[in-house]
């Protein structure tokens, strides 16, 4: 209730370590850290503290050469993404700062994309009672609100979507120091409620009275003789903001990005629409994945082994990897690159020369929808065409129909690109980990163009319900996905 919220704010002012409350009622104010807000959205979001050294804060706290408790970077799993020390400490510190800034920017992106309708960003000039230098706007705030050019910085104009409001002058002295003295002077605190112009008996008594008699506030305003137009104007502003919360959001405009999806996106959508949502629609930062890196490296290696070089077109375009191939499952080790290469060299594909390798394609569907992808290898023998996809992940269960979606899209692409009759096409998954191949005749695949169209319609209808399965264990979003967490908990409590 409003009363408990105000009580909370009052208590929070007294005790900065107060545990963050998470009211569960949907129509309530939620206070949370940016990390806690990951995956959540609200009509109105306030992000305070966008001041220098507060947010972003690029203070380096994890220099392994300055703190013994830090794990040396070269033995860390994510060492490829960390700065390396090359004998000059000042340069290394600079690189650490840049990395800290990147992390803060990622976090800033999460904070700023939580708002559905309105986003309020604020920064104060002074923070903390002890400081003798003011904070001023931090880099993110300045980038949005605009900044004057200086000798070191060319400056920038305010972002067109931003309305800037400055609420008070910037005092040269820290005004919070007096606050400390005032608090110290008022010790021990008295229970007496400080009256103000409007609530002469204190706001708490006014609130209790207003609950008993809803007209009491109006009566107090009339009795106080305050400037009625000014009071009405500020009340109108609050009412406008409250109306935003209760007005249903207008239908979201169709996002053009979502009209063109990769094969990996399609498989992800079929596996878990919620994971697709957090990857494609409202993307959240993801952990670097060793499994995805291994998948990419092996695909490049096979490409070079098969035709003697890597294709020159868009070498950065990643291969189509399904969700089960890109997630790192805690506690499960990955196969070594050598074992996967050996599996390829021992297979029937090692001796063959593919007609096409990493063949890119775009399938255009009704209403302008596009599906794009790459077929790992295409082998042709006589009239028979075999489309092969190399898999570095686990082999799915035989009755896993979604596993066939990728191959169905490839078969459709082959029909479109080369005008092939489906009876002449077979599609193969080659599981490098086990050395198994699973081949299916294109005619036996049940996914059709209609199914692909239905998936795009699902995206436009914004139906992104979670579908928990085995992939939850390696899903980057598990931490804040209730359905996924419940599934994983149920799995781990099942007798093995
Ligand atoms: S944890 Fe599971 S249910 Fe949740 S988004 Fe990830 S894959 Fe989907």
């Amino acid at each position: 209730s409003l009363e408990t919220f105000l009580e909370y704010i009052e208590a929070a002012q007294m005790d900065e370590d107060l545990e963050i409350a998470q009211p569960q009622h949907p129509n309530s104010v939620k206070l949370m850290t940016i990390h806690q807000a990951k995956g959540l959205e609200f009509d109105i979001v306030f992000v305070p503290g966008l001041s220098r050294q507060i947010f972003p804060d690029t203070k380096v706290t994890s220099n392994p050469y300055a703190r013994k408790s830090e794990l040396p970077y070269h033995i860390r799993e994510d060492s490829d993404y960390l700065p390396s020390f090359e004998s000059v400490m000042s340069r290394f510190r600079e690189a650490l700062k840049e990395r800290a800034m990147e992390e803060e920017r990622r976090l800033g992106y999460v904070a700023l994309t939580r708002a559905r309708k309105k986003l309020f960003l604020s920064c104060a000039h002074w923070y903390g009672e002890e400081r003798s230098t003011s904070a001023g706007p931090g880099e993110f705030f300045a980038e949005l609100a605009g900044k004057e050019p200086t000798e070191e910085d060319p400056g920038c104009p305010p972002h067109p979507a931003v309305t800037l409001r400055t609420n008070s002058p910037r005092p040269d002295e820290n005004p919070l120091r007096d606050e400390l003295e005032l608090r110290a002077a008022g010790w021990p605190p008295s229970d007496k409620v400080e009256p103000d112009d409007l609530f002469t008996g204190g706001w708490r008594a006014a609130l209790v009275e207003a609950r008993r008699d809803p007209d009491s506030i109006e009566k107090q305003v009339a009795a106080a003789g305050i400037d009625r137009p000014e009071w009405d104007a500020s009340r109108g502003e609050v009412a406008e903001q409250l109306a935003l919360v209760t007005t249903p959001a207008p239908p979201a405009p169709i996002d053009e990005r979502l009209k063109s999806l990769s094969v990996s996106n399609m498989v992800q959508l079929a596996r878990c629409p919620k994971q697709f949502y957090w990857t494609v629609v409202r993307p959240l930062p993801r952990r670097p994945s060793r499994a995805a890196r291994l998948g990419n490296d092996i695909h490049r290696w096979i490409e070079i082994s098969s035709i003697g070089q890597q294709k020159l077109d868009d070498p950065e375009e990643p291969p189509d990897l399904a969700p089960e191939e890109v997630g790192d499952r805690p506690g499960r080790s990955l196969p070594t690159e050598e074992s996967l290469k050996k599996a390829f060299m021992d297979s029937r594909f090692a001796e063959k020369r593919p007609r096409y390798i990493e063949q890119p394609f775009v399938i255009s569907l009704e209403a302008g929808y596009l599906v794009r992808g790459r077929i790992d290898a295409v082998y042709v023998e006589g009239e028979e065409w075999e489309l092969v996809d190399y898999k570095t992940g686990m082999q799915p269960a035989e009755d896993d129909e979604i596993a066939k979606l990728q191959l169905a899209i490839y078969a459709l692409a082959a029909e479109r690109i080369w005008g092939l009759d489906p009876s002449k096409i077979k599609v193969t998954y080659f599981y490098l980990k086990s050395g198994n191949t699973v081949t299916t005749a294109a005619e036996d695949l049940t996914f059709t163009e209609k199914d692909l169209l239905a998936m795009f319609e699902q995206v436009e209808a914004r139906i992104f319900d979670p579908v928990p399965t085995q992939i939850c264990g390696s899903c980057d979003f598990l931490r804040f996905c209730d359905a996924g967490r419940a599934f994983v908990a149920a799995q781990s409590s099942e007798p093995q």
Side-chain angles (χ1 to χ4, degrees):
S1 68
L2 176 62
E3 196 173 354
T4 47
F5 176 65
L6 292 173
E7 271 171 10
Y8 167 75
I9 294 289
E10 196 178 62
Q13 278 176 344
M14 302 299 292
D15 182 355
E16 287 177 2
D17 294 332
L18 196 73
E19 198 184 326
I20 289 169
Q22 294 280 12
Q24 292 304 309
H25 192 282
N27 189 18
S28 60
V29 176
K30 318 263 194 303
L31 299 181
M32 61 184 70
T33 62
I34 300 175
H35 286 289
Q36 284 172 322
K38 278 182 187 164
L40 303 176
E41 284 181 357
F42 305 95
D43 284 345
I44 299 177
V45 170
F46 291 82
V47 184
L50 284 158
S51 283
R52 212 178 297 139
Q53 292 176 359
I54 292 183
F55 190 47
D57 176 10
T58 53
K59 227 185 312 76
V60 173
T61 53
S62 61
N63 183 344
Y65 297 101
R67 289 164 66 114
K68 278 198 225 122
S69 56
E70 286 296 322
L71 208 56
Y73 281 180
H74 62 275
I75 61 167
R76 274 178 50 169
E77 191 183 76
D78 55 349
S79 58
D80 288 357
Y81 301 91
L82 297 170
S84 53
F85 179 61
E86 275 152 17
S87 67
V88 183
M89 184 55 92
S90 57
R91 256 189 245 147
F92 182 62
R93 270 203 211 102
E94 214 33 58
L96 288 179
K97 266 190 138 185
E98 273 171 31
R99 186 180 148 73
M101 186 61 176
E102 267 173 39
E103 294 290 331
E104 290 287 271
R105 206 168 271 284
R106 254 192 282 273
L107 204 57
Y109 174 80
V110 173
L112 270 53
T113 50
R114 299 308 91 208
R116 275 193 289 253
K117 293 181 188 167
K118 270 207 164 188
L119 175 66
F120 292 83
L121 308 173
S122 69
C123 70
H125 197 55
W126 286 98
Y127 283 90
E129 294 134 353
E130 308 298 338
R131 285 196 182 193
S132 54
T133 50
S134 61
E139 199 156 333
F140 300 161
F141 190 92
E143 282 171 13
L144 291 164
K147 51 183 172 176
E148 296 294 327
T150 62
E151 266 177 34
E152 300 92 48
D153 188 337
C156 65
H159 188 281
V162 168
T163 307
L164 194 60
R165 287 189 199 163
T166 308
N167 280 334
S168 58
R170 299 170 191 175
D172 294 333
E173 294 290 320
N174 186 348
L176 300 170
R177 284 206 170 155
D178 299 342
E179 174 78 17
L180 191 66
E181 277 164 28
L182 268 178
R183 271 199 231 163
W187 186 261
S190 72
D191 284 343
K192 203 169 131 290
V193 181
E194 288 297 322
D196 62 27
D197 287 350
L198 181 56
F199 303 125
T200 46
W203 63 262
R204 191 183 294 273
L207 190 62
V208 172
E209 179 60 15
R211 289 180 70 177
R212 200 187 57 76
D213 170 14
D215 294 333
S216 69
I217 300 283
E218 286 291 338
K219 287 180 202 157
Q220 287 200 48
V221 171
I226 60 165
D227 183 343
R228 182 74 203 217
E230 193 189 310
W231 189 74
D232 280 344
S234 71
R235 200 167 71 151
E237 199 176 311
V238 173
E240 206 179 286
Q241 291 181 1
L242 287 176
L244 274 173
V245 182
T246 45
T247 315
I254 290 167
D255 186 340
E256 287 302 316
R257 277 178 320 132
L258 303 179
K259 291 188 138 193
S260 165
L261 298 177
S262 70
V263 173
S264 304
N265 296 156
M266 298 297 281
V267 177
Q268 189 174 45
L269 177 64
R271 287 244 178 261
C272 176
K274 196 74 199 178
Q275 195 191 55
F276 169 87
Y277 175 79
W278 282 324
T279 308
V280 181
V281 185
R282 300 280 291 193
L284 293 176
R286 303 191 67 170
R287 286 174 300 193
S289 151
R290 286 183 306 131
R293 213 162 50 231
L294 178 67
N296 284 336
D297 290 349
I298 286 295
H299 278 78
R300 295 289 168 246
W301 178 83
I302 293 179
E303 193 178 338
I304 293 166
S305 312
S306 303
I307 56 169
Q309 65 167 68
Q310 193 175 343
K311 282 182 76 165
L312 295 177
D313 65 319
D314 203 2
E316 293 303 318
E317 178 78 6
D320 296 333
L321 297 179
E324 56 273 24
E325 288 181 277
V326 298
D328 287 338
R329 187 174 282 267
R332 184 174 290 173
S333 60
L334 291 175
T336 63
E337 209 172 307
E338 289 319 309
S339 68
L340 299 179
K341 287 178 181 173
K342 182 170 181 316
F344 178 78
M345 293 314 287
D346 292 345
S347 76
R348 64 183 165 93
F349 301 109
E351 294 302 314
K352 291 183 175 181
R353 195 171 169 85
R355 181 172 293 185
Y356 302 102
I357 190 103
E358 289 292 327
Q359 173 65 42
F361 65 83
V362 177
I363 302 174
S364 109
L365 304 168
E366 267 174 41
Y369 298 125
L370 303 173
V371 181
R372 35 176 230 282
R374 288 183 167 244
I375 306 172
D376 284 348
V378 180
Y379 297 90
V380 183
E381 273 185 34
E383 297 228 308
E384 286 267 296
W385 288 58
E386 183 174 15
L387 319 177
V388 180
D389 187 65
Y390 303 114
K391 290 274 176 221
T392 47
M394 296 285 286
Q395 186 167 344
E398 243 175 69
D399 58 354
D400 182 350
E401 283 305 311
I402 295 173
K404 296 186 183 139
L405 172 62
Q406 187 174 352
L407 294 181
I409 297 175
Y410 289 172
L412 196 60
E415 287 170 38
R416 295 275 188 96
I417 306 172
W418 299 295
L420 298 177
D421 189 293
S423 64
K424 302 277 183 279
I425 307 172
K426 57 184 181 177
V427 282
T428 296
Y429 278 138
F430 176 23
Y431 295 96
L432 291 154
K433 200 171 166 188
S434 60
N436 290 346
T437 51
V438 178
T439 300
T440 315
E443 286 177 313
D444 294 340
L445 294 168
T446 50
F447 279 103
T448 63
E449 217 173 301
K450 254 193 177 164
D451 296 313
L452 299 182
L453 213 50
M455 291 172 79
F456 277 101
E457 282 161 6
Q458 174 188 348
V459 173
E460 294 227 337
R462 305 185 78 75
I463 300 170
F464 301 117
D465 296 330
V467 178
T469 57
Q470 296 301 338
I471 61 167
C472 294
S474 57
C475 177
D476 277 343
F477 314 122
L478 178 65
R479 250 180 337 130
F480 44 82
C481 174
D482 291 343
R485 281 217 312 270
F487 177 84
V488 170
Q491 292 270 302
S492 55
S493 63
E494 265 178 23
Q496 299 296 305

